[in-house]
Amino acid sequence: MSNLVYILMMTPASEDQNPIMTFLPLILIILVFYFFMIRPQMKKQKDLKSFRESVKKGDKVITTGGIYGKIVDIKENVIVVDVGDNVRLKIDKSAILKDSRDLPAQKKF
């Protein structure tokens, strides 16, 4: 272990090296993270927010807990969802995940 420290300390410091070239790998890593991770996640959150604001009565939705239902009433941040047999649940608007029309058609057995 101590030999590695001595080897690293012995590397000559180049005074004519460009400082931009030193930070170029770090800048490239930041750009890759932005375009492949941060930007798509922001777009996904923006689409989900616009979907939650555009829901209306009669829409079929799926909650984050996996409950399928039909919207019966909408208040400020609360949505009343009919899940079948006249069972109604009050759900926070942020718990709505997607529209059930987005799902592929399922085969019936």
Side-chain angles (χ1 to χ4, degrees):
M1 179 71 180
S2 62
N3 292 338
L4 181 62
V5 174
Y6 290 129
I7 292 172
L8 290 174
M9 291 174 62
M10 290 179 13
T11 55
S14 175
E15 294 179 12
D16 61 345
Q17 189 175 10
N18 191 353
I20 294 175
M21 294 304 288
T22 306
F23 291 110
L24 187 64
L26 181 63
I27 292 169
L28 289 174
I29 290 171
I30 291 172
L31 285 174
V32 166
F33 269 97
Y34 177 76
F35 283 110
F36 289 108
M37 297 180 79
I38 297 170
R39 189 169 169 220
Q41 184 66 28
M42 288 174 27
K43 184 181 182 302
K44 188 176 181 181
Q45 287 176 346
K46 185 175 146 184
D47 292 342
L48 186 59
K49 182 181 177 187
S50 67
F51 167 71
R52 287 178 179 158
E53 291 173 353
S54 69
V55 293
K56 57 189 179 300
K57 288 182 183 180
D59 286 349
K60 293 182 179 179
V61 293
I62 302 171
T63 66
T64 55
I67 299 172
Y68 290 69
K70 184 176 179 181
I71 296 177
V72 177
D73 189 23
I74 299 175
K75 295 178 181 161
E76 283 184 36
N77 288 330
V78 178
I79 296 177
V80 179
V81 178
D82 184 13
V83 293
D85 294 332
N86 207 14
V87 176
R88 295 182 178 192
L89 300 173
K90 285 185 181 179
I91 298 174
D92 192 41
K93 206 172 204 179
S94 63
I96 299 296
L97 188 59
K98 57 185 168 182
D99 192 355
S100 64
R101 291 181 297 203
D102 295 341
L103 298 176
Q106 296 177 353
K107 293 181 181 180
K108 295 187 179 183
F109 296 103

